[in-house]
């Protein structure tokens, strides 16, 4: 098994951050061939997804999350989880919609993604600008 962590900065705004190049470098430098890659974010307020980036889908996802999980809370009555900046309770609900991990097949050392797919970190928590992402490759 190959494993490493990525330390990433998401900043002070909601972000969809493309991790694909960092993951490709990990697979290449580790000599990965065929197997499974797990991408996991060990944070209660972030998730990982496979998504098209650069054509607006990343911003569309953040817009949709804003509608589905508004800062004001369900029905505008606020969130029960209330520490942090206003609306921070929604960040703790995010992993229920955008899972904290994805598994991607790896064939001949490369992720078997579709033409427009990327692996991204989804972070709506403006209170925590630093994130850790764990990559684990298991040969098949």
């Amino acid at each position: 098994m190959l494993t490493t962590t990525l330390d990433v900065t998401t900043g002070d705004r909601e972000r969809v951050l493309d991790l694909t190049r960092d993951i490709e470098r990990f697979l290449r430098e580790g000599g990965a061939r065929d197997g499974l890659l797990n991408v996991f974010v060990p944070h209660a307020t972030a998730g990982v997804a496979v998504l098209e980036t650069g054509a607006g889908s990343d911003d569309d996802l953040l817009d949709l999350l804003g509608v589905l999980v508004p800062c004001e809370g369900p029905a505008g009555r606020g969130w029960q989880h209330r520490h942090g900046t206003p609306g921070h309770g929604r960040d703790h609900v995010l992993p229920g919609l955008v899972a904290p991990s994805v598994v991607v097949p790896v064939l001949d050392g490369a992720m078997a993604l579709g033409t427009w797919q990327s692996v991204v970190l989804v972070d709506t928590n403006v209170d925590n600008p630093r994130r850790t992402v764990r990559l684990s490759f298991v040969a098949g």
Side-chain angles (χ1 to χ4, degrees), residues 28-39:
R28 184 176 55 254
E29 291 175 0
R33 300 303 303 152
D34 294 346
L36 295 174
L37 171 75
N38 181 264
V39 182

Side-chain angles (χ1 to χ4, degrees), residues 126-137:
V126 300
D127 293 340
N128 186 358
R130 301 284 306 155
R131 297 300 185 162
T132 299
V133 179
R134 175 159 297 283
L135 306 178
S136 300
F137 172 79

Side-chain angles (χ1 to χ4, degrees), residues 94-140:
L94 174 71
L97 299 172
V98 180
S101 67
V102 297
V103 175
V104 179
V106 175
L107 301 173
D108 198 24
M111 288 184 287
L113 296 171
T115 303
W116 305 112
Q117 290 180 317
S118 296
V119 178
V120 299
L121 172 68
V122 180
D123 188 1
T124 61
N125 182 359
V126 300
D127 293 340
N128 186 358
R130 301 284 306 155
R131 297 300 185 162
T132 299
V133 179
R134 175 159 297 283
L135 306 178
S136 300
F137 172 79
V138 178

